Amino acid sequence: MSQRIVVDPITRIEGHLRIEAEIKDGKIEEAYSSGTMVRLIEEILRGRDPRDAWAFVGRVCGVCTSVHSTASVRAVEDALGIIIPPNAEMVRNLMFCAQNIQDHVVHFYHLHALDWVDVVSALKADPKKTSEIAQSISNWPKSSPGYFSDLQKRLTKFVESGQLGIFANGYWGHPAYKLPPEVNLIGVAHYLEALEWQKEIVKVHTIFGGKNPHPNYLVGGMACSISLDDASGINAERLSYVLTVLKQAKEFVEQVYVPDLLAIAPYYLDWGAIGGGLGNYLVYGDLSTTSYREPKNFKFPAGAILNKDLSKIHEVDLRSDNEVQEFISHSWYEYAGGDGVGLHPWKGETKLNYTGPKPPFEHLNVDEKYSFLKTPRWKGHAMEVGPLARVLVGYASGRTDYKEVVDSVLKKLNIPATALISTLGRTAARGVEALLVAQWSLEFYDQLITNIKNGDTRMASTEKFQPDTWPKQAMGVGHNEAPRGALAHWIVIEDQKIANYQLVVPSTWNASPRDKEGKSSAYEAALKDTPIADPNQPLEILRTVHSFDPCLACAVHLYDEEGKHISKVKVL
Amino acid sequence: MKEPNILILGVGNYLMGDEGLGVHVARALQDEQLPEGVDVLDGGTAGFQLMEYLEKYPIVIMIDATLDKNTVGTIRLIEPKFSQDFPKAMSTHEIGLKDLVESLALLGKLPKIYLYVMTVQDIANLHVGLSQFVEEQLPQLKRLILNKVDDLLPAVLV
């Protein structure tokens, strides 16, 4: 006998995602992922000035403002052949690093931890024992028995007042929660500390981007002026503040995030064999130590891995007509050339054609179209993108910085490298990446300072800023490695205006529906075979889906009428 | 110089028509001459990134669009203390804003929030700019906010 369960919307993500799963003998047999909001940013951009696109795409989401804006200015610069000055490269890298670390920490504590940490159990913790555990895993100073006991009192008051709020949507007491109360209390303490900490790191964006949220970007460089002794621009004082914040970030990752990860993981090692999914990984590459145009210097090397084969890294070409393509055979769109074709984004089309059931409905018809996400493929393969993909490509490329961190995590958890291809591995890879990015950010900072001290204060290249210098037609692609994975924007400029603009975002790669051959994308593949202890409380689905850090806001877009987490179970 | 006391914070997504109401209001108020101690911020679609602002100001006047059963254009003033006091279909801040409010409450750092919401129609069509009807309600909403500022200022300037 099998059951069909529906989780809609998946909460603790940005955007709106629905998962339907068929369960047989306590395991997921088939899963279907549907983006239930529509996105038409492409249509908003058509006909606009390409130099303004960054400001619009920066608004598609509350989380990834800066990575979308970066991809956008890079696409335009690529189309027009603009080379940006070294300072602007470093400033973009620093803003990228700040966002990456902030996002990973926020994801771990605020979006994912509650899948593993039972808040209600934390109320039963012994503060003294909690303190001992905390001090055994890290030198982080906030770890006294008094600190944990104060927090526990506040938490108890909060829970008893009925104001569970942030903690309301949990499956507390679910048998799949395995942590002792003391580790749960550490998790809750750091949930709150992470929140306090993250407000500092985002100031890197305020300083370089002029404002936050939604910092300023500029085609040709960055919209800030740097001079060590300039009172109004970015001067020595502001730069030293950036350094302070970056150092604090490194400290937080090293002393809080990663120790917590390593303290929680041993209780969930079975998840090192669950949720692996596709085994195909795609990375566009990012964070060059010289120029974005020199991929050989990327800290995140580009490449693709197929069938878990780490011995071969395949080259990726975003310009090739038959590498990245988007399909719509299961998506509510139509193409002029019919449903069977795949389109490279430069030829991409965004025409809605909703043929799904009229809400409210019980189930999607998954044999037909069932999502507002298109289905991207690389050379026809379904690919996973994100921190795990980046860590595996870096590791498989033989990079020593990756090898050192990854091997130390594997050794501490006493698990083989193959366990990385799992739900646990995805979550661990994010921590590994945060460690690396925190180290790299200090290198980029040094490079920026050295460059300024050598007398180079150029921040933008303006010679091709005026549209009368542009060719009649130009095409470009701009990519980066957003927190959730490979992100690229493709632009076609005609007569100084945007003629076509396509975003292929990380969650489209991961959360998309099946392709025309019926092949699953990353979420659907990873959910297959996941054990479900209680279909009424499908905590296990949340674990695997959250391990990808879904962010559907840019993949699709609309509102969430009730904002409630609903799961329905139906016996088939 | 006095510390800033009141923040007028417009939130929403301006790519989604009327959903961007808060942003449009913030931008309009940025052009006005406001009393000392009163700042305006276009919060856009941000969530957790707004924390430093919510901690810095004792009073935050928030503006957002909402989808509810009221007549389109209805303006309501809510004084939320907990995340569930916020309208359910408020903006696209799936993560962030409500969790942030809740966490600040737990940390004992929640400012006094006055939330002005205006009921808007289905925001299914993505476009930039407000519908004519909502646009026409803007002056009234602006007036309500500025009156609120006048009411609150004497208390916070002491």
Side-chain angles (χ1 to χ4, degrees):
Chain A
M1 191 183 70
S2 71
Q3 281 179 312
R4 177 84 160 243
I5 67 169
V6 177
V7 188
D8 180 15
I10 298 271
T11 50
R12 299 200 177 282
I13 66 169
E14 174 92 15
H16 201 140
L17 173 72
R18 174 187 176 102
I19 297 285
E20 295 195 10
E22 274 163 32
I23 298 173
K24 200 176 176 188
D25 304 327
K27 267 188 175 180
I28 294 179
E29 203 170 40
E30 290 293 344
Y32 303 90
S33 163
S34 171
T36 49
M37 302 188 296
V38 69
R39 143 193 147 213
L40 286 171
I41 176 79
E42 288 87 352
E43 292 309 301
I44 288 178
L45 290 170
R46 199 186 294 274
R48 291 189 188 269
D49 187 326
R51 294 167 301 177
D52 295 341
W54 66 265
F56 289 91
V57 299
R59 296 265 174 174
V60 295
C61 166
V63 179
C64 305
T65 278
S66 56
V67 284
H68 277 299
S69 292
T70 307
S72 179
V73 291
R74 282 178 173 170
V76 179
E77 287 156 3
D78 180 52
L80 301 173
I82 296 172
I83 295 170
I84 69 167
N87 286 334
E89 292 278 7
M90 290 307 123
V91 166
R92 285 185 189 174
N93 281 357
L94 287 171
M95 291 175 75
F96 174 98
C97 291
Q99 201 234 343
N100 177 287
I101 305 167
Q102 188 251 3
D103 207 90
H104 284 359
V105 170
V106 165
H107 174 263
F108 181 71
Y109 287 104
H110 304 105
L111 307 179
H112 196 25
L114 302 185
D115 299 339
W116 313 98
V117 171
D118 186 335
V119 176
V120 176
S121 146
L123 302 178
K124 291 188 294 228
D126 170 5
K128 195 167 162 281
K129 244 168 85 186
T130 309
S131 165
E132 281 163 22
I133 296 173
Q135 289 173 5
S136 73
I137 60 172
S138 167
N139 295 325
W140 189 244
K142 289 183 177 173
S143 61
S144 69
Y147 176 73
F148 288 113
S149 125
D150 278 355
L151 169 73
Q152 200 179 30
K153 277 181 210 143
R154 266 189 290 156
L155 195 61
T156 307
K157 215 174 109 195
F158 195 72
V159 172
E160 280 172 356
S161 71
Q163 303 298 342
L164 257 175
I166 28 174
F167 307 131
N169 281 326
Y171 295 127
W172 315 130
H174 191 288
Y177 283 112
K178 306 283 187 207
L179 299 179
E182 288 73 24
V183 180
N184 284 320
L185 185 58
I186 294 175
V188 176
H190 294 166
Y191 179 107
L192 294 169
E193 284 181 46
L195 194 68
E196 282 282 343
W197 161 83
Q198 61 89 32
K199 77 171 197 281
E200 295 305 316
I201 184 86
V202 297
K203 287 182 183 163
V204 173
H205 286 205
T206 319
I207 290 172
F208 290 124
K211 67 188 183 73
N212 199 50
H214 306 300
N216 290 318
Y217 280 77
L218 176 70
V219 168
M222 287 304 287
C224 54
S225 77
I226 285 202
S227 166
L228 293 179
D229 41 17
D230 171 4
S232 63
I234 294 172
N235 52 30
E237 188 194 336
R238 290 195 184 161
L239 285 169
S240 91
Y241 189 72
V242 169
L243 180 62
T244 307
V245 176
L246 292 174
K247 281 184 176 162
Q248 281 170 0
K250 185 164 171 279
E251 207 174 67
F252 194 86
V253 172
E254 287 174 351
Q255 294 189 26
V256 184
Y257 178 13
V258 171
D260 283 357
L261 191 62
L262 294 174
I264 293 172
Y267 295 91
Y268 294 108
L269 290 181
D270 50 335
W271 285 84
I274 299 169
L278 295 172
N280 297 340
Y281 301 93
L282 178 66
V283 182
Y284 299 159
D286 203 353
L287 286 183
S288 178
T289 53
T290 52
S291 156
Y292 164 72
R293 291 169 165 263
E294 291 174 320
K296 65 177 194 312
N297 296 327
F298 280 157
K299 290 283 195 187
F300 288 131
I305 290 171
L306 292 175
N307 303 318
K308 306 180 189 173
D309 179 5
L310 301 191
S311 69
K312 179 151 179 59
I313 306 283
H314 302 262
E315 271 186 47
V316 175
D317 179 2
L318 299 184
R319 296 164 199 279
S320 164
D321 202 38
N322 43 27
E323 291 202 14
V324 174
Q325 292 181 322
E326 287 197 299
F327 293 83
I328 54 155
S329 44
H330 287 286
S331 317
W332 290 310
Y333 295 90
E334 60 183 52
Y335 281 167
D339 276 4
V341 298
L343 296 181
H344 181 268
W346 272 330
K347 297 175 183 160
E349 298 172 21
T350 311
K351 191 167 176 218
L352 276 182
N353 176 26
Y354 182 72
T355 53
K358 198 172 161 0
F361 53 87
E362 204 151 352
H363 290 138
L364 293 161
N365 181 357
V366 293
D367 296 327
E368 305 284 332
K369 292 172 184 273
Y370 65 94
S371 179
F372 278 118
L373 270 64
K374 295 175 183 172
T375 304
R377 290 291 181 255
W378 178 75
K379 291 188 173 175
H381 299 286
M383 309 298 286
E384 174 176 338
V385 298
L388 176 59
R390 290 191 286 256
V391 165
L392 288 175
V393 169
Y395 190 75
S397 306
R399 287 268 305 270
T400 49
D401 45 355
Y402 284 83
K403 234 180 129 28
E404 205 174 291
V405 182
V406 171
D407 287 342
S408 111
V409 167
L410 293 176
K411 197 168 158 230
K412 277 185 191 140
L413 295 177
N414 193 23
I415 52 172
T418 49
L420 285 172
I421 297 179
S422 67
T423 294
L424 182 72
R426 218 169 272 123
T427 298
R430 196 168 287 110
V432 164
E433 178 169 293
L435 265 180
L436 290 169
V437 171
Q439 291 166 10
W440 298 336
S441 71
L442 297 177
E443 295 175 33
F444 295 135
Y445 179 85
D446 283 345
Q447 254 182 281
L448 176 67
I449 298 298
T450 308
N451 208 38
I452 298 168
K453 283 191 173 153
N454 288 339
D456 181 2
T457 55
R458 290 171 303 149
M459 196 51 87
S461 148
T462 52
E463 56 268 26
K464 288 183 188 158
F465 194 72
Q466 293 310 324
D468 55 17
T469 62
W470 302 351
K472 195 168 161 41
Q473 211 229 20
M475 300 200 298
V477 55
H479 64 82
N480 68 15
E481 283 296 329
R484 289 158 188 81
L487 166 71
H489 291 192
W490 281 261
I491 192 171
V492 178
I493 302 170
E494 269 168 22
D495 299 323
Q496 310 178 351
K497 299 274 182 246
I498 296 172
N500 197 4
Y501 199 106
Q502 294 285 325
L503 297 76
V504 181
V505 306
S507 295
T508 311
W509 282 104
N510 288 340
S512 43
R514 283 160 164 71
D515 60 25
K516 61 178 175 163
E517 281 135 37
K519 274 192 311 231
S520 296
S521 296
Y523 288 5
E524 294 181 343
L527 285 169
K528 206 172 152 59
D529 295 328
T530 295
I532 302 287
D534 174 4
N536 288 304
Q537 296 198 324
L539 174 64
E540 298 90 343
I541 290 182
L542 294 185
R543 284 184 176 167
T544 292
V545 172
H546 281 162
S547 75
F548 286 93
D549 190 3
C551 189
L552 273 285
C554 60
V556 291
H557 226 133
L558 203 76
Y559 61 93
D560 168 7
E561 185 94 49
E562 284 292 320
K564 253 192 257 161
H565 171 101
I566 308 160
S567 67
K568 283 189 210 139
V569 183
K570 195 184 178 210
V571 179
L572 295 177
Chain B
M1 207 181 83
K2 287 196 168 71
E3 283 291 300
N5 287 308
I6 298 180
L7 178 69
I8 302 175
L9 173 64
V11 293
N13 191 332
Y14 85 162
L15 299 178
M16 297 170 65
D18 288 342
E19 219 274 349
L21 171 76
V23 173
H24 288 277
V25 173
R27 289 181 175 182
L29 287 170
Q30 275 164 347
D31 299 333
E32 304 252 339
Q33 188 75 35
L34 294 170
E36 199 186 336
V38 180
D39 293 335
V40 181
L41 180 71
D42 156 16
T45 44
F48 281 5
Q49 295 178 38
L50 296 173
M51 180 160 186
E52 71 167 294
Y53 303 102
L54 290 185
E55 272 194 11
K56 200 157 82 185
Y57 294 84
I59 294 179
V60 176
I61 301 176
M62 217 182 266
I63 306 116
D64 199 1
T66 176
L67 283 162
D68 52 38
K69 296 195 171 65
N70 296 311
T71 321
V72 175
T74 305
I75 298 172
R76 290 182 298 146
L77 172 63
I78 301 168
E79 296 182 29
K81 288 200 175 65
F82 302 105
S83 71
Q84 55 263 55
D85 301 336
F86 284 88
K88 277 177 181 161
M90 189 184 115
S91 252
T92 46
H93 310 274
E94 173 70 23
I95 53 168
L97 202 54
K98 289 182 195 177
D99 282 358
L100 179 59
V101 164
E102 202 76 36
S103 303
L104 284 170
L106 188 51
L107 292 165
K109 291 184 174 176
L110 190 65
K112 172 72 187 165
I113 296 177
Y114 296 90
L115 170 64
Y116 284 96
V117 292
M118 192 196 286
T119 308
V120 299
Q121 222 151 19
D122 198 322
I123 42 181
N125 290 318
L126 288 190
H127 59 96
V128 177
L130 299 172
S131 63
Q132 197 194 334
F133 184 77
V134 169
E135 181 92 53
E136 285 166 9
Q137 314 303 313
L138 270 198
Q140 195 207 341
L141 181 55
K142 261 173 67 181
R143 203 162 44 241
L144 284 169
I145 294 164
L146 293 174
N147 288 346
K148 183 52 109 183
V149 167
D150 286 343
D151 286 352
L152 295 169
L153 257 189
V156 290
L157 282 177
V158 174

